[in-house]
Amino acid sequence: MVKELKAEVKKLNFYYGRVQALKEINLPIERRKVSALIGPSGCGKTTFLRCFNRMHDLYPHNRYEGEIILHPDNVNIISPQMDPIEVRMQISMVFQKPNPFPKSIYENVAYGLRVRGVSKREVLDEKVEKSLRGAVLWDEVKDRLNHLAFDLSGGQQQRLCIARALATNPRILLFDEPTSALDPTATLKIEELIVELKNEVTIIIVTHNMQQAARVSDYTAFMYLGEIVEYDKTDRIFTAPSNKLTEEYITGRFG
Amino acid sequence: MKRKLTRKIKEGAIETILFLSALSSVFITISIVVVLSYESFGFFKEVPLIEFLTGREWTPLFAEPKFGILPLISGTLLITSIALIVALPLGLTAAVYLSEYAPHRLKEIIKPILELLAAVPTVVYGYFALLFLTPILQKFIPDLSGFNALSPGIIMGIMIIPYVSSVSEDAMRAVPMHIREGSYAMGATKLQTAFKVVIPSAFSGIAAAFIIGISRAIGETMVVAIAAGGMPNLTANPLEPVQTLTAYIVAVSLGDVPHGTIEYKTIFAAGMTLFLMTLVFNIIGFWLRKRIREAY
């Protein structure tokens, strides 16, 4: 089977003001696979992830160089001509800490659709149910959709945030250390969910937990000091890394 | 040993002084309540409570006095409502702008200027309403009398904008950035994020800001004493002259009402009513502020 690319990062440089945080990054993103970004704190993995949905545009003095090409329409999503809101309409994100809105469970999931001007009750009902089922939360909340999202446990809140991100049929789903605020049981559920979701959507996940990367991802990129040191199939990275730095990191000798 | 002893005495003395200053505010508050209650008790010995609460005329200084508080309450509520219609939307939008839109430098300029509105002496606002705003309004509304509820209401609204905007903005700024990012990541615009996520997240703080504004409006004296007309008037028509509880108290205190008479005691009855009204709003505000702290 020919590998199909969902996105391609070409010569990406990123600057916080004068500080260069990402250097000459080249990376293919495989369609309907999970790509993991790993590396020690401060290596730029979250910065890199936040380029995909233009989160850096929310703050002043940030600057991108290079290209992130989104397939199949071949547009560069970090070009200044590209509206960041357009990008975020297609590429969703799940954050480190669950961040539900102060609304009902239903309205949290419907948020992205409402923002896009969808207001038909039948459409919303259907999408909300489908997304909650997709995030394996439906059975737990179907009888209390009008309860406040804060009533849910941390793990449930994070799955709610995943449902919220799924509701708009994103082309890529970004996960920024999605389990770092969760207990082991909730973490396991999220990991199973990620593996499940790749049948429908391309996933990029940042994690500081190497076992997690090994468990959920198909491809892994190891980053260090703003650069990609090594990129390969996950099992190769973890069994036979070709770079010494990668080997030292995954065997726990630094980071 | 000796050094330890002197240190202990010193510390003890300081603690006592601090305790006494904290106590003084409690003592003063309690004294006010006691005096208010005592004097209004004297009033209610002569005027039945039911007449006070249901009477539709307030003419304590007339030869045949009537002691119905309703006209003063209606005047207070009418002017307060006008003030809130002005202050709440303007204060809230100003807060949204300052918290979500304004670049840092611009905010550093706008915020102090806005807060300066609260520093203008209220007597200045009073004459501003009477001599500037009323004549302008009369050009558009010929029926408007020289003294009316509308003009001081609007001016009072402008006066309390900073109370509303300042506390609302603090509440909105306290909303953590990752909540906003969640909204932006869904493809929301700035406006959608501000109104659909930030305002609901800061709801209890904004409600507390509104309550502070309401209390401030009910208690305001000078503007209404100068520009509203000083005529107890049971009406909902903002074009007519009215009198508020506070304006009545000022008017009577300035006159030569003999001490101990029933006219004199009306001051305390009106004061008690005012105190209870603001107390209720302050308790609501306190309760809301407590809830805001639990939110994050």
Side-chain angles (χ1 to χ4, degrees):
Chain A
M1 193 182 126
V2 187
K3 280 199 288 189
E4 217 181 327
L5 290 188
K6 188 73 207 177
E8 243 175 311
V9 183
K10 291 179 181 168
K11 291 192 173 171
L12 172 69
N13 287 296
F14 178 77
Y15 304 85
Y16 289 114
R18 293 214 185 107
V19 183
Q20 183 167 13
L22 299 176
K23 289 171 200 156
E24 290 290 311
I25 289 191
N26 294 292
L27 192 74
I29 302 293
E30 306 277 344
R31 183 167 177 267
R32 296 202 173 161
K33 298 279 185 235
V34 178
S35 304
L37 305 173
I38 60 167
S41 303
C43 71
K45 51 192 190 299
T46 294
T47 303
F48 181 32
L49 189 77
R50 287 163 67 96
C51 291
F52 283 90
N53 65 343
R54 299 279 297 268
M55 281 317 254
H56 298 299
D57 290 54
L58 296 176
Y59 306 93
H61 312 303
N62 294 338
R63 193 158 53 86
Y64 312 87
E65 272 172 14
E67 297 181 316
I68 297 178
I69 304 291
L70 190 64
H71 293 304
D73 17 345
N74 272 319
V75 290
N76 174 16
I77 56 175
I78 56 167
S79 86
Q81 285 80 41
M82 191 75 195
D83 180 3
I85 291 177
E86 280 300 314
V87 176
R88 294 178 201 137
M89 293 264 181
Q90 302 177 35
I91 300 181
S92 283
M93 186 172 213
V94 175
F95 292 79
Q96 252 187 55
K97 258 175 52 183
N99 57 354
F101 305 135
K103 298 175 184 296
S104 67
I105 292 169
Y106 184 96
E107 283 303 326
N108 261 280
V109 182
Y111 186 78
L113 299 162
R114 288 210 189 272
V115 159
R116 286 156 176 76
V118 180
S119 58
K120 267 202 176 156
R121 196 73 202 182
E122 313 89 76
V123 181
L124 289 174
D125 282 349
E126 190 202 318
K127 281 277 184 188
V128 167
E129 177 172 347
K130 189 163 169 265
S131 313
L132 283 168
R133 283 190 192 281
V136 202
L137 191 58
W138 175 253
D139 291 331
E140 288 159 68
V141 301
K142 62 172 186 250
D143 301 322
R144 45 174 176 152
L145 289 174
N146 54 353
H147 284 215
L148 260 187
F150 298 135
D151 295 346
L152 300 175
S153 74
Q156 287 173 324
Q157 287 188 14
Q158 194 64 308
R159 276 181 282 145
L160 180 68
C161 292
I162 294 173
R164 182 173 79 189
L166 284 175
T168 51
N169 294 333
R171 299 164 72 178
I172 301 181
L173 188 50
L174 310 171
F175 285 89
D176 183 8
E177 300 192 15
T179 60
S180 60
L182 303 180
D183 63 60
T185 323
T187 298
L188 193 69
K189 275 198 179 153
I190 302 276
E191 287 183 5
E192 286 170 359
L193 182 54
I194 290 172
V195 174
E196 187 72 25
L197 284 174
K198 75 174 177 189
N199 297 319
E200 293 163 43
V201 59
T202 306
I203 291 173
I204 309 175
I205 177 172
V206 161
T207 175
H208 58 224
N209 178 337
M210 280 178 282
Q211 287 73 36
Q212 182 166 72
R215 281 192 298 262
V216 305
S217 73
D218 304 292
Y219 295 89
T220 297
F222 169 62
M223 292 182 69
Y224 187 61
L225 299 178
E227 292 180 79
I228 293 204
V229 174
E230 188 169 354
Y231 167 78
D232 212 328
K233 288 200 159 142
T234 297
D235 30 343
R236 272 196 70 83
I237 289 270
F238 283 95
T239 52
S242 55
N243 189 295
K244 193 146 187 331
L245 215 55
T246 315
E247 190 187 329
E248 283 179 9
Y249 180 72
I250 59 162
T251 51
R253 255 173 283 170
F254 86 102
Chain B
M1 262 323 270
K2 208 181 154 211
R3 283 221 343 242
K4 197 178 159 194
L5 192 70
T6 38
R7 196 171 63 217
K8 241 183 153 176
I9 292 172
K10 242 167 128 183
E11 282 290 315
I14 288 170
E15 199 187 317
T16 315
I17 292 169
L18 293 178
F19 173 70
L20 287 177
S21 22
L23 198 67
S24 68
S25 63
V26 177
F27 176 73
I28 290 167
T29 310
I30 291 174
S31 328
I32 290 175
V33 174
V34 167
V35 171
L36 261 184
S37 314
Y38 176 77
E39 295 284 353
S40 28
F41 183 70
F43 173 83
F44 286 115
K45 267 203 297 206
E46 292 175 49
V47 179
L49 184 64
I50 188 83
E51 184 193 331
F52 180 73
L53 290 179
T54 58
R56 302 164 70 89
E57 273 178 274
W58 179 258
T59 54
L61 305 183
F62 283 15
E64 250 179 75
K66 299 247 174 66
F67 298 102
I69 196 75
L70 284 180
L72 293 186
I73 292 183
S74 81
T76 304
L77 293 181
L78 177 60
I79 291 197
T80 301
S81 314
I82 296 169
L84 294 178
I85 290 170
V86 173
L88 299 191
L90 278 177
L92 187 62
T93 33
V96 168
Y97 177 73
L98 287 175
S99 145
E100 306 299 309
Y101 285 86
H104 183 71
R105 259 204 223 135
L106 192 61
K107 188 160 108 182
E108 294 296 295
I109 300 169
I110 294 181
K111 219 185 164 189
I113 294 178
L114 194 61
E115 270 159 20
L116 213 61
L117 281 180
V120 176
T122 52
V123 63
V124 174
Y125 278 117
Y127 280 101
F128 189 69
L130 180 66
L131 303 176
F132 180 76
L133 187 61
T134 300
I136 290 179
L137 289 174
Q138 276 172 328
K139 283 194 186 128
F140 299 99
I141 316 167
D143 293 348
L144 190 68
S145 64
F147 292 107
N148 57 74
L150 184 61
S151 168
I154 293 172
I155 292 295
M156 203 149 88
I158 293 170
M159 197 177 84
I160 58 178
I161 285 174
Y163 293 90
V164 175
S165 69
S166 195
V167 178
S168 306
E169 193 228 332
D170 288 344
M172 283 186 227
R173 243 194 339 194
V175 174
M177 201 58 208
H178 71 264
I179 302 281
R180 282 189 192 84
E181 286 190 350
S183 167
Y184 286 122
M186 293 309 300
T189 61
K190 224 168 196 186
L191 192 71
Q192 288 167 330
T193 303
F195 281 89
K196 290 179 180 231
V197 172
V198 178
I199 288 182
S201 299
F203 175 77
S204 28
I206 293 169
F210 283 10
I211 299 287
I212 292 171
I214 293 172
S215 293
R216 190 74 187 75
I218 290 177
E220 171 50 33
T221 308
M222 224 27 167
V223 177
V224 280
I226 291 168
M231 199 179 100
N233 187 355
L234 185 58
T235 178
N237 182 355
L239 307 182
E240 290 177 22
V242 296
Q243 189 167 45
T244 66
L245 288 159
T246 52
Y248 170 77
I249 294 170
V250 173
V252 177
S253 312
L254 293 177
D256 32 40
V257 188
H259 195 280
T261 59
I262 181 75
E263 292 89 341
Y264 172 79
K265 285 174 187 159
T266 58
I267 296 177
F268 294 94
M272 192 70 188
T273 312
L274 186 64
F275 175 73
L276 290 177
M277 279 169 79
T278 44
L279 183 70
V280 168
F281 281 107
N282 277 317
I283 288 172
I284 298 173
F286 179 75
W287 177 76
L288 286 171
R289 268 200 302 280
K290 238 178 70 183
R291 274 195 44 196
I292 187 181
R293 263 182 235 127
E294 290 159 8
Y296 303 112

